[in-house]
Amino acid sequence: MRRNYWLAAVAVVAVVAWVGWMHAFGKADDAAAPAEKTSIAATAGESLTVPNGSAEELLIFIKKVRAIKSPESEDAVKPFVEKTRRPILEAANKILAGNPEGAIRVEAIHAKIEALYKLDSEADDVNAGKQLRELIDELQKDKQPELARLGGQLQLQLQIRDLEEGKGTLEDAQKLWEEVKAKLVAEPGSKQNIQLALMVAQALGSADDTKVGAQAYRDLSKILAKSDDPQIAEMVKGFEGTIRRLSLPGHPIDLKGTLVNGKPLDVAALKGKVVLVDFWATWCGPCRAELPNVKKNYEKYHDKGFEVVGISLDDDRDALEKFLADEKLPWPIVFGAEGEPHGWEQTLATYYGIGSIPTTILTNQKGEVVSLNARGEKLGELLEQLLGK
């Protein structure tokens, strides 16, 4: 789960209408009027039939369908996307078939892109992904300057998505960063360019070679340091921790703090052990989903020298203590002493620029960091390498 700081950072730089949805190629329009939400929600379980109306009426239909609340269950996501995004795509195509101009055409194209992206990424519709790329190629040659710019930006966004999904090579990633950096250097005040640079830096930061990500954040810090916007200045300040974390591989991590039971973390007891430093919180769904995997590996390798240190980003001590009592976690949990910052502002979290959780950092017997993303099957594989079967 991402820190609200990064969402706020996106909001700071997203000054044009399309940037807000560009980060995920369009999320549901939660700004729809309550009456509209209630009306469409009543038919959410029924077939959503595209009306035969004017472009304006079709746009209202699109807005209402977008307002349907998405399901919380992962198993329900794919059928939900199929049910809602195909009508949006059909409505957008109906509008565009009438050769509209101006704002109506722009809105219809936005809706089409959003629908195709959702169908591609969440409903596994390969044909939708193909149509999306074809549409973006066409937009880059569009006579309408706004759409041509949009096509160029979305082409970069596709490259960023591919990078986040592990597609392409390290050379591709470096080339993309240089391209985006050049745009930002040429127009350092461009909010769109800042947004794109942030996205690429974040994607590079999750790559296996963290040196590339660290360098991207250093470049970004130098460019944005010249800004007189106080919010951007605060964001740049936060990059210091991110760079520190991305520079950890091959070096020791500085651990300290007060455990939830009030005692100091015994760092000396960790010497010579393989240690998983787990930044997490009880309110974080992905963190809780990863706990069984951590427990399994703890039981399997603890006697061979594996230890876990949890760094809680909870705000509520009582909720944390209840969770620990229920789950009976056997490893130490750093929470912080009375009066110290908690939550996202927890001392170690800010020192290492933790922007999303779970963040799991693994060290070897020498205390050197060997992974910044030791989760799932990767954790077991790394432990086997370090401690044997």
Side-chain angles (χ1 to χ4, degrees):
M1 301 185 74
R2 285 199 178 278
R3 182 185 183 186
N4 287 340
Y5 166 82
W6 290 111
L7 296 179
V10 170
V12 168
V13 297
V15 294
V16 291
W18 61 271
V19 170
W21 58 263
M22 187 187 70
H23 184 63
F25 278 99
K27 295 184 178 180
D29 183 7
D30 291 329
E36 292 177 338
K37 286 192 175 185
T38 302
S39 173
I40 198 68
T43 61
E46 304 171 12
S47 176
L48 299 175
T49 304
V50 179
N52 290 315
S54 65
E56 289 80 4
E57 290 171 328
L58 288 166
L59 286 175
I60 291 173
F61 170 79
I62 289 172
K63 184 177 181 181
K64 286 184 176 181
V65 176
R66 277 179 171 170
I68 300 175
K69 186 178 180 181
S70 59
E72 294 183 3
S73 168
E74 289 188 15
D75 294 337
V77 169
K78 184 174 179 178
F80 172 80
V81 169
E82 287 277 1
K83 187 177 193 62
T84 58
R85 266 48 195 178
R86 292 208 184 280
I88 288 177
L89 180 60
E90 183 183 341
N93 282 332
K94 272 190 174 184
I95 296 171
L96 294 172
N99 295 317
E101 297 180 352
I104 290 178
R105 180 168 178 255
V106 171
E107 286 188 50
I109 288 175
H110 281 185
K112 183 172 182 176
I113 290 172
E114 181 262 348
L116 288 172
Y117 172 77
K118 290 284 188 180
L119 289 167
D120 173 32
S121 63
E122 297 181 17
D124 303 320
D125 186 335
V126 177
N127 186 52
K130 181 181 177 183
Q131 290 182 56
L132 176 64
R133 291 178 185 274
E134 290 174 349
L135 177 57
I136 290 174
D137 286 341
E138 292 173 6
L139 285 179
Q140 293 179 73
K141 298 173 271 187
D142 199 275
K143 294 180 180 179
Q144 201 167 334
E146 177 185 354
L147 290 175
R149 286 194 300 272
L150 175 61
Q153 299 285 10
L154 291 180
Q155 180 60 40
L156 284 174
Q157 177 66 13
L158 276 182
Q159 292 176 264
I160 294 169
R161 189 185 75 168
D162 289 345
L163 179 61
E164 290 175 330
E165 294 176 353
K167 299 174 183 176
T169 64
L170 182 59
E171 289 72 23
D172 293 333
Q174 291 173 316
K175 182 179 178 182
L176 176 59
W177 173 248
E178 291 301 325
E179 181 179 349
V180 172
K181 184 175 73 171
K183 287 178 175 291
L184 188 57
V185 169
E187 295 182 85
S190 167
K191 306 296 184 178
Q192 296 176 28
N193 291 342
I194 293 174
Q195 171 72 358
L196 285 169
L198 276 171
M199 290 180 185
V200 178
Q202 288 174 3
L204 288 172
S206 62
D208 289 336
D209 189 339
T210 57
K211 293 179 182 177
V212 180
Q215 186 56 52
Y217 276 103
R218 289 190 190 96
D219 292 343
L220 197 53
S221 295
K222 289 179 182 178
I223 298 169
L224 297 183
K226 302 174 184 177
S227 174
D228 55 4
D229 187 321
Q231 291 177 303
I232 291 179
E234 184 66 22
M235 186 170 60
V236 170
K237 185 179 178 182
F239 292 164
E240 295 175 7
T242 304
I243 295 169
R244 188 178 292 116
R245 172 169 47 84
L246 295 178
S247 302
L248 275 175
H251 302 282
I253 182 171
D254 185 11
L255 288 179
K256 56 186 175 183
T258 303
L259 303 181
V260 69
N261 62 12
K263 297 178 180 179
L265 174 66
D266 187 357
V267 179
L270 304 175
K271 189 173 182 181
K273 295 184 178 182
V274 172
V275 181
L276 180 72
V277 183
D278 183 10
F279 290 87
W280 72 295
T282 60
W283 45 259
C284 167
C287 301
R288 294 172 68 149
E290 177 67 11
L291 272 180
N293 180 56
V294 179
K295 282 183 177 180
K296 178 185 71 175
N297 282 288
Y298 183 88
E299 293 168 0
K300 188 175 180 180
Y301 289 101
H302 180 62
D303 290 342
K304 299 189 74 173
F306 174 50
E307 187 56 88
V308 179
V309 176
I311 312 296
S312 171
L313 271 62
D314 283 276
D315 286 300
D316 188 334
R317 177 187 289 274
D318 292 338
L320 174 60
E321 289 180 342
K322 183 180 184 306
F323 182 87
L324 295 177
D326 292 342
E327 292 292 324
K328 296 179 173 57
L329 298 186
W331 52 80
I333 303 292
V334 173
F335 177 71
E338 191 71 31
E340 290 183 355
H342 297 106
W344 287 109
E345 302 306 319
Q346 198 276 344
T347 304
L348 283 174
T350 55
Y351 186 72
Y352 285 113
I354 304 300
S356 64
I357 53 175
T359 291
T360 48
I361 301 173
L362 188 69
T363 70
N364 61 19
Q365 292 90 333
K366 296 179 181 179
E368 301 164 338
V369 171
V370 295
S371 174
L372 298 181
N373 188 29
R375 295 173 59 188
E377 293 182 3
K378 186 175 182 179
L379 174 59
E381 293 169 357
L382 289 168
L383 291 176
E384 184 175 321
Q385 293 172 18
L386 294 168
L387 297 169
K389 291 188 177 181

